[in-house]
Amino acid sequence: DPNILNIAIGVSNPKVIYLSSKNKIFKSTDKGNSWLNIGFSSDPITCIEVDPSNSNRLYITYGGYHNNARVEVTNDGGNSYNDLTGSLPNLPVNVIKCQKNANQALYLGTDVGLFYRDASKSDWELFNNNLPNVAVTSLDISYIDNKIWAGTYGRGLWSSNLFNSTATHDLNAKEFLLIENNEQGLVKLYNKNPQLKISQVEILDLNGKLIMKKSLLLPFQQVECNLVAGIYLVKFRAMGNQFIQKFIQL
């Protein structure tokens, strides 16, 4: 079909690739050398998403205004499909994103905001978290800082901690860790808490590349490293929680 609109590649098995046009779904199990038509819909297909842990599990969303399925899943690579619509409103569903290693956690972008569901839940629940009541047209997950990013129609980008995420706001992170840097590229991380041990201290760039790692930072202890100019993330654990702090190296 020349009108391919979406592509999804199996993370757990990169040989498996799915494509969708407006009304059809195709599957390849040999890196795209051959294709099989595994689905047809009279409703427009808006998004396809492969479960990162199971290349045979594919989620499909549909647009339009009707009483048919808004979201479907196949757990066997396209041999059969199950309806996951639940109590979603009768409105277009635009995009779906599956979180890895999170009990089939799903984020769903619709014309009236964002919804969440996982394998422990029997239905979708609203997950707007200060998001304006607008259409969500794109979704992405940042595993560096455990956030879901949503692109909206006319209201820009929005982000939130993932469902049940232990990520904490930057302001709280600054209560434990002091970052000092200078124009010569030297960065100092200092544990300013007199009683708290900070563990698993990491500096990463915005692509998730690990720049520096230290297993333990004792009270009033500091660690140094040299960085080129750019934006970085400090990731660490304290009091059983994970913290993220962003800083700019001049």
Side-chain angles (χ1 to χ4, degrees):
D1 192 313
N3 300 310
I4 297 301
L5 300 177
N6 300 289
I7 182 170
I9 300 174
V11 176
S12 61
N13 182 1
K15 292 182 179 180
V16 178
I17 305 172
Y18 297 90
L19 301 175
S20 72
S21 63
K22 182 179 180 180
N23 300 103
K24 298 178 182 178
I25 302 173
F26 304 90
K27 178 184 179 182
S28 173
T29 56
D30 55 11
K31 297 183 179 181
N33 292 312
S34 60
W35 295 91
L36 179 66
N37 187 337
I38 62 168
F40 174 83
S41 172
S42 58
D43 302 314
I45 298 169
T46 54
C47 184
I48 55 175
E49 171 81 349
V50 183
D51 187 322
S53 63
N54 184 350
S55 61
N56 281 319
R57 181 177 294 124
L58 180 74
Y59 300 97
I60 310 102
T61 62
Y62 301 95
Y65 300 85
H66 48 69
N67 293 320
N68 299 335
R70 322 302 300 167
V71 187
E72 287 188 320
V73 60
T74 173
N75 294 300
D76 52 17
N79 292 318
S80 61
Y81 293 85
N82 298 317
D83 189 349
L84 289 182
T85 303
S87 61
L88 287 172
N90 186 16
L91 293 168
V93 176
N94 305 310
V95 61
I96 189 168
K97 198 70 179 176
C98 183
Q99 181 183 345
K100 66 181 181 181
N101 303 323
N103 197 24
Q104 300 175 39
L106 300 171
Y107 298 85
L108 196 70
T110 75
D111 270 12
V112 291
L114 191 63
F115 290 81
Y116 174 85
R117 180 175 184 169
D118 60 37
S120 70
K121 300 180 182 296
S122 60
D123 204 351
W124 299 93
E125 59 184 61
L126 192 63
F127 188 71
N128 271 10
N129 285 14
N130 299 319
L131 173 70
N133 187 23
V134 294
V136 174
T137 56
S138 62
L139 290 172
D140 203 2
I141 293 176
S142 171
Y143 292 102
I144 298 174
D145 52 3
N146 293 321
K147 290 187 179 294
I148 179 80
W149 285 85
T152 66
Y153 182 77
R155 296 296 294 270
L157 283 172
W158 163 89
S159 70
S160 172
N161 289 339
L162 294 171
F163 190 88
N164 285 339
S165 171
T166 58
T168 306
H169 195 273
D170 286 355
L171 180 62
N172 293 330
K174 293 174 183 176
E175 295 176 2
F176 303 102
L177 192 70
L178 178 66
I179 301 175
E180 296 180 347
N181 55 352
N182 58 36
E183 295 182 357
Q184 286 70 48
L186 180 65
V187 176
K188 298 179 181 180
L189 305 181
Y190 176 69
N191 180 0
K192 63 181 183 179
N193 190 294
Q195 298 178 325
L196 183 69
K197 295 179 181 179
I198 297 177
S199 62
Q200 299 177 16
V201 183
E202 299 176 352
I203 295 180
L204 307 99
D205 64 19
L206 291 186
N207 294 317
K209 180 181 178 181
L210 181 64
I211 307 298
M212 187 275 292
K213 182 175 182 179
K214 185 174 178 59
S215 59
L216 185 66
L217 202 59
L218 297 173
F220 302 126
Q221 184 181 8
Q222 74 175 28
V223 63
E224 301 178 355
C225 70
N226 288 287
L227 298 174
V228 299
I231 301 175
Y232 296 89
L233 296 172
V234 175
K235 184 176 179 180
F236 65 95
R237 298 193 67 85
M239 300 177 63
N241 293 314
Q242 177 174 277
F243 294 83
I244 303 290
Q245 187 172 343
K246 184 184 294 184
F247 70 95
I248 299 175
Q249 176 61 41
L250 301 176

